[in-house]
Amino acid sequence: MRKVSLYGIDDKLMCDLSRDVDVIVKIMEIGEAIDAITFKKIFTGIELKSFMKENKLQDIVLENNELLIDKIVDDNKYEVKAYDW
């Protein structure tokens, strides 16, 4: 199973970002390996919003019908993990 997940270090925001292989590969390239199948990258909110826009992820809707990108706080830190197994 392949996926990219988001965890808000400061605000506990959690969701799946993508299952797109291109997004997984980008996290693998810019992040650090946790093990053979898991990679992570820590972003600031500003960096994460930019990453989401570059990868066409800005339209992700949360369960409460809010856009994820609107919930991201510029100065907070977010952990993005890519799983490729």
Side-chain angles (χ1 to χ4, degrees):
M1 180 155 137
R2 294 177 165 147
K3 74 175 184 175
V4 179
S5 63
L6 169 72
Y7 173 71
I9 295 169
D10 297 313
D11 58 18
K12 311 301 183 224
L13 181 64
M14 293 176 29
C15 73
D16 287 340
L17 282 181
S18 179
R19 294 188 184 277
D20 185 297
V21 174
D22 291 335
V23 177
I24 293 168
V25 169
K26 286 182 182 176
I27 295 298
M28 292 170 74
E29 290 173 348
I30 65 174
E32 65 178 270
I34 295 174
D35 55 40
I37 61 170
T38 310
F39 297 80
K40 79 173 182 179
K41 170 71 177 159
I42 305 295
F43 290 96
T44 64
I46 292 172
E47 294 167 336
L48 179 58
K49 288 177 186 179
S50 177
F51 178 83
M52 289 175 67
K53 289 174 185 172
E54 289 170 9
N55 293 283
K56 298 177 177 48
L57 301 172
Q58 70 272 13
D59 295 328
I60 296 172
V61 178
L62 299 172
E63 291 178 6
N64 57 5
N65 291 324
E66 292 181 281
L67 285 176
L68 170 62
I69 203 161
D70 292 340
K71 300 295 286 179
I72 295 170
V73 178
D74 289 349
D75 295 329
N76 284 3
K77 289 193 176 19
Y78 297 89
E79 178 182 85
V80 176
K81 283 188 181 175
Y83 304 90
D84 186 22
W85 72 91

